[in-house]
């Protein structure tokens, strides 16, 4: 099959909706066989739609904070499609507004366990399969892994951790032929952002303020992040590793 990632096998976490679902569709559209994983069974329908459109895909239930689930997900990718070339550590959660002076340790750990431990576990358990023939890992960080906003300390810390974990893996794994890069989206129209705005008392004002913080004066759309992931997954980015690919409508340029 022709395509920018033809013949490659990808595992995309958090692929039931939002950026993960769009990334899985784009990778499959460019010729990869894709194992979509998520703790939400809605990912099954996304995989079936990819297959119905002529792509190669399957779904596996997977909580990225669970070591046992990681073992099973990597084994499923290799059993179904024969190998693993691309890992997209996309699953993540936002936090409600959390004030540092009252923030519970439990909330801190819940966010870090998915957003940072989940990426560590992905590297830890997919690494051996990627090392067989070399590969590409794309970790979803955020603009909030580079700059902060108030009341999001755990989220910012988790995404900052992903940024440097990415570089640590990149330098360690360059000799193995595994590239590791991070993507830093600005605010993108996904269920994560819609739910956060809906849960907030002044959601409409917040939406306007967030849009105004992007020089391009809009939110991004999932396709714009998925395209960056496909580029990093493909051989077009063959000399890139440990890089921070910012896709933010200019948010961090100011
Ligand atoms: N949307 C944005 O504006 C934005 C900006 C910067 C970074 N990001 C990051 O991009 C990634 C995707 O964000 P999104 O906007 O598509 O979010 P989303 O909430 O719309 O979708 C996230 C998906 O991850 C899944 N998920 C959550 N916890 C999981 C777990 N423990 N195990 C497996 N799956 C789990 C959810 O079920 C969901 O399907 C996240 O890491 C997020 O932090 C998003």
């Amino acid at each position: 099959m022709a395509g920018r990632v033809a013949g490659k096998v990808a595992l995309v976490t958090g692929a039931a909706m939002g950026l993960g679902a769009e990334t899985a569709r784009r990778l499959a559209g460019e010729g990869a066989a894709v194992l979509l994983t998520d703790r939400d069974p809605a990912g099954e329908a996304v995989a079936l739609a990819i297959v119905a459109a002529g792509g190669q895909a399957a779904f596996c239930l997977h909580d990225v904070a669970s070591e046992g689930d990681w073992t099973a997900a990597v084994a499923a990718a290799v059993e179904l499609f024969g190998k693993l070339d691309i890992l997209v550590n996309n699953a993540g959660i936002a936090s409600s507004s959390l004030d540092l002076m009252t923030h519970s340790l439990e909330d801190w750990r819940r966010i870090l366990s998915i957003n940072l431990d989940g990426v560590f576990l992905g590297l830890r358990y997919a690494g051996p399969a990627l090392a067989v023939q070399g590969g590409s890992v794309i970790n979803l960080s955020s603009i909030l892994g580079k700059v902060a906003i108030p009341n999001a300390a755990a989220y910012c810390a988790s995404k900052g951790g992903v940024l440097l974990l990415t570089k640590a893996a990149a330098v360690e794994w360059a000799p193995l032929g595994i590239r590791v890069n991070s993507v830093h989206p600005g605010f993108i129209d996904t269920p994560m952002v819609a739910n956060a705005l809906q849960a907030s008392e002044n959601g409409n004002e917040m939406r306007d303020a967030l849009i105004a913080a992007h020089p391009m004066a809009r939110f991004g759309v999932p396709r714009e992040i998925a395209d960056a992931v496909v580029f990093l997954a493909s051989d077009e980015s063959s000399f890139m590793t440990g890089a921070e690919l910012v896709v933010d409508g200019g948010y961090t340029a100011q």
Side-chain angles (χ1 to χ4, degrees), residues 56-79:
Q56 263 188 290
F59 174 73
C60 162
L61 264 182
H62 175 202
D63 179 345
V64 295
S66 155
E67 287 194 84
D69 282 8
W70 266 110
T71 307
V74 172
V78 173
E79 267 164 39

Side-chain angles (χ1 to χ4, degrees), residues 19 38-39 62-64 90 141 155 159 186 188 190 192-193:
L19 303 184
D38 204 294
R39 66 180 178 182
H62 175 202
D63 179 345
V64 295
N90 164 80
S141 176
Y155 186 82
K159 294 300 183 179
I188 314 297
T190 67
M192 177 184 277
V193 169

Side-chain angles (χ1 to χ4, degrees), residues 15-252:
M17 64 190 77
L19 303 184
E22 184 64 9
T23 295
R25 285 190 285 266
R26 289 283 293 119
L27 286 168
E30 291 293 341
V34 184
L35 182 66
L36 295 85
T37 81
D38 204 294
R39 66 180 178 182
D40 184 336
E44 178 87 56
V46 182
L48 288 174
I50 290 172
V51 172
Q56 263 188 290
F59 174 73
C60 162
L61 264 182
H62 175 202
D63 179 345
V64 295
S66 155
E67 287 194 84
D69 282 8
W70 266 110
T71 307
V74 172
V78 173
E79 267 164 39
L80 284 166
F81 301 123
K83 59 176 180 161
L84 184 65
D85 305 284
I86 298 162
L87 169 66
V88 186
N89 280 312
N90 164 80
I93 55 168
S95 64
S96 51
S97 184
L98 292 170
D99 182 332
L100 260 181
M101 295 216 191
T102 54
H103 205 306
S104 70
L105 181 58
E106 192 187 352
D107 275 333
W108 168 268
R109 286 193 172 138
R110 186 174 51 83
I111 293 161
L112 270 285
S113 74
I114 295 174
N115 290 5
L116 185 55
D117 296 359
V119 176
F120 159 71
L121 292 174
L123 293 164
R124 164 69 183 81
Y125 286 98
L130 293 164
V132 173
Q133 70 285 307
S136 174
V137 180
I138 299 97
N139 294 330
L140 267 290
S141 176
S142 171
I143 49 172
L144 301 181
K146 296 171 68 67
V147 295
I149 54 171
N151 307 112
Y155 186 82
C156 292
S158 71
K159 294 300 183 179
V162 168
L163 181 149
L164 215 67
L165 174 57
T166 299
K167 294 186 195 301
V171 296
E172 189 167 326
W173 285 356
L176 303 179
I178 306 173
R179 299 184 298 107
V180 191
N181 294 288
S182 54
V183 173
H184 301 260
F187 284 81
I188 314 297
D189 235 328
T190 67
M192 177 184 277
V193 169
N195 294 339
L197 290 175
Q198 209 168 26
S200 128
E201 278 169 21
N202 53 348
N204 284 340
E205 282 163 42
M206 250 180 79
R207 185 183 167 86
D208 290 347
L210 286 172
I211 286 175
H214 296 71
M216 289 180 76
R218 65 173 176 86
F219 285 161
V221 296
R223 169 77 186 233
E224 292 171 313
I225 303 306
D227 282 344
V229 175
V230 170
F231 167 66
L232 289 173
S234 78
D235 296 339
E236 293 160 17
S237 57
S238 53
F239 199 48
M240 284 179 75
T241 198
E244 305 160 24
L245 187 49
V246 175
V247 187
D248 70 351
Y251 187 107
T252 54

